[in-house]
Amino acid sequence: MSAPEARALSDPPTDGITSLCYLPQSSINPSLSLLACSSWDGCLRVYDTKTQANVVTHSMDSRSAAPLLSLAVPPSPEGILVAGSLNGLVQHYDIKTSTSTIIGAHCGGEQRTEQNACSCLAPIDCNVVASAGWDSKFHLWDLRIGSSGEQNKPVASHDLPGKAFSMDTHRGNEGKNTVVIATSGRRNCIIDMRVLSSEKAHELNEPIVVDLVPQQNRESSLKYQTRAVRLFPDGKGMALSSIEGRVAIEYLDEAEAEKTKKKKYAFKCHRVGDTIYPVNAIAFHPRFGTFATGGCDGTVVLWDAANKKRLTALPKMATSIAALAYNHDGTELAMASSYTFEEGERDHPRDEIYVREILDHESKPKNAK
């Protein structure tokens, strides 16, 4: 059986791609497979990966055309996207009505500059989204709040030890959430939170209450700047990648991991001869718990962290892999082939988004039957 081929989506972004996220399966039309994309050209795009067609292109800020650095898709069937921009804005976009709304900003009333950029976004639940930025701030936002010309305030905030480079969340039982933020200075901040009665507050039009408890502020086991961090599907560990061609596997509760004979480790990857490439993206398979990495060498590789094995290497793309995303069941992987300026300003291939069918034998752990 021949391996599936990657398919290019039509009308790709005109500038660097920053994030890829699949929408929940039931959004808008259950028969569609919708993929959202943010980019430096300031536009949100949505594609139907089955037809490879662009179904939405929306400029989030026509006045400033601020680049979009981050993207989040709440677990809602309503077709809602949240985008974070270089000027610090956090904006809500409704696909059904084609309208965007300012939820808040990282500038806190100050001038909107790249020092306040909203570099990371992640959904907490249908009504709450987390943001982190270059201003070393972490915020939680109530998505019900629209812009009335006044600066909206976050539901909760926390100071970070440095600029936020990457962030991920895991939703546990009874509304308990874990958030990990990778910052400058090789720090990883782990926050536990509980959003109290978000759905009930939404129905009664009451403020959302959040119990936010910082748990850890620890040094990364990687020696160089973190590019991406993603939590395991079970929320018990995380994978981190760096600019120096390495990926680390760490556990949130290291004492508990020791009891089950699990230890943190790191491995080299995305290297060609003596050339070492940054590892820009990580995406976990939603069913098998294996993960994919994408690097500036233009390759995507699938790994089995539990058994410390490389599973599959996909054919090389024309330029850097800037972002990755699996669909809801892990049968499709979206890949952004987009130069990330690791070699500075130079001519480079145009930005493209590819989707590829992922077969079970390519992504299943080696010891799984």
Side-chain angles (χ1 to χ4, degrees):
M1 181 178 179
S2 61
E5 293 187 0
R7 298 171 287 119
L9 302 184
S10 63
D11 190 20
T14 58
D15 206 346
I17 300 166
T18 54
S19 296
L20 296 173
C21 294
Y22 278 89
L23 275 70
Q25 190 180 16
S26 57
S27 293
I28 310 301
N29 184 335
S31 67
L32 300 178
S33 173
L34 298 180
L35 175 72
C37 163
S38 60
S39 62
W40 276 81
D41 63 10
C43 292
L44 278 180
R45 290 174 174 82
V46 178
Y47 300 88
D48 179 1
T49 66
K50 290 184 178 180
T51 64
Q52 300 165 232
N54 179 325
V55 295
V56 172
T57 298
H58 180 81
S59 177
M60 291 298 287
D61 190 344
S62 58
R63 292 166 298 175
S64 64
L68 301 181
L69 303 188
S70 50
L71 175 66
V73 179
S76 163
E78 301 303 319
I80 301 300
L81 306 177
V82 183
S85 64
L86 185 66
N87 62 11
L89 289 180
V90 179
Q91 298 179 80
H92 165 294
Y93 177 69
D94 187 327
I95 296 176
K96 288 183 178 179
T97 62
S98 300
T99 56
S100 57
T101 306
I102 296 175
I103 297 299
H106 270 259
C107 54
E110 301 173 5
Q111 184 180 3
R112 294 172 184 165
T113 67
E114 64 181 41
Q115 283 76 26
N116 300 309
C118 177
S119 53
C120 307
L121 284 170
I124 301 299
D125 62 21
C126 293
N127 302 311
V128 180
V129 69
S131 70
W134 292 354
D135 59 353
S136 303
K137 298 289 185 182
F138 170 83
H139 297 308
L140 292 177
W141 304 96
D142 183 346
L143 295 181
R144 302 170 302 165
I145 300 174
S147 176
S148 59
E150 298 179 0
Q151 178 65 53
N152 297 316
K153 295 183 178 180
V155 175
S157 298
H158 178 65
D159 290 334
L160 300 174
K163 287 183 177 182
F165 292 146
S166 186
M167 177 171 66
D168 197 21
T169 60
H170 177 267
R171 189 175 187 184
N173 297 325
E174 299 178 353
K176 182 181 178 182
N177 300 272
T178 301
V179 182
V180 59
I181 309 112
T183 74
S184 57
R186 298 172 45 243
R187 306 303 300 181
N188 295 318
C189 299
I190 300 169
I191 299 173
D192 284 347
M193 70 177 71
R194 192 180 299 273
V195 179
L196 307 178
S197 303
S198 171
E199 287 77 10
K200 184 177 180 180
H202 181 68
E203 292 174 2
L204 299 176
N205 199 29
E206 294 179 351
I208 291 175
V209 179
V210 176
D211 181 18
L212 189 154
V213 182
Q215 292 291 326
Q216 300 181 51
N217 174 1
R218 69 193 199 192
E219 187 175 69
S220 170
S221 59
L222 297 173
K223 295 181 179 180
Y224 294 88
Q225 177 183 305
T226 303
R227 271 289 172 90
V229 60
R230 290 294 180 266
L231 288 163
F232 292 1
D234 64 7
K236 294 182 179 180
M238 58 185 174
L240 304 106
S241 67
S242 78
I243 61 172
E244 189 248 345
R246 288 180 192 265
V247 168
I249 301 298
E250 299 185 11
Y251 295 92
L252 273 59
D253 188 335
E254 294 179 328
E256 184 65 28
E258 286 282 352
K259 294 179 183 178
T260 56
K261 298 182 180 180
K262 295 178 180 178
K263 295 183 179 180
K264 66 182 180 180
Y265 68 93
F267 61 91
K268 299 176 183 179
C269 53
H270 296 280
R271 300 177 179 216
V272 180
D274 294 330
T275 305
I276 300 171
Y277 294 92
V279 185
N280 296 322
I282 300 172
F284 272 92
H285 193 287
R287 289 186 292 128
F288 299 143
T290 56
F291 65 94
T293 59
C296 287
D297 59 344
T299 66
V300 174
V301 183
L302 278 56
W303 308 90
D304 177 0
N307 297 299
K308 301 181 180 180
K309 293 181 182 294
R310 187 174 89 156
L311 299 175
T312 306
L314 304 186
K316 184 177 180 180
M317 300 291 181
T319 188
S320 312
I321 303 300
L324 295 170
Y326 275 108
N327 68 348
H328 70 283
D329 61 3
T331 57
E332 185 174 89
L333 179 66
M335 303 167 282
S337 174
S338 180
Y339 180 55
T340 55
F341 289 82
E342 63 276 5
E343 296 177 357
E345 187 71 50
R346 64 169 176 79
D347 290 338
H348 55 83
R350 81 168 192 166
D351 302 306
E352 299 278 8
I353 300 173
Y354 295 93
V355 293
R356 183 189 184 275
E357 179 186 0
I358 299 296
L359 305 177
D360 282 1
H361 74 80
E362 295 178 310
S363 54
K364 185 179 290 186
K366 289 297 185 183
N367 62 345
K369 302 297 184 182

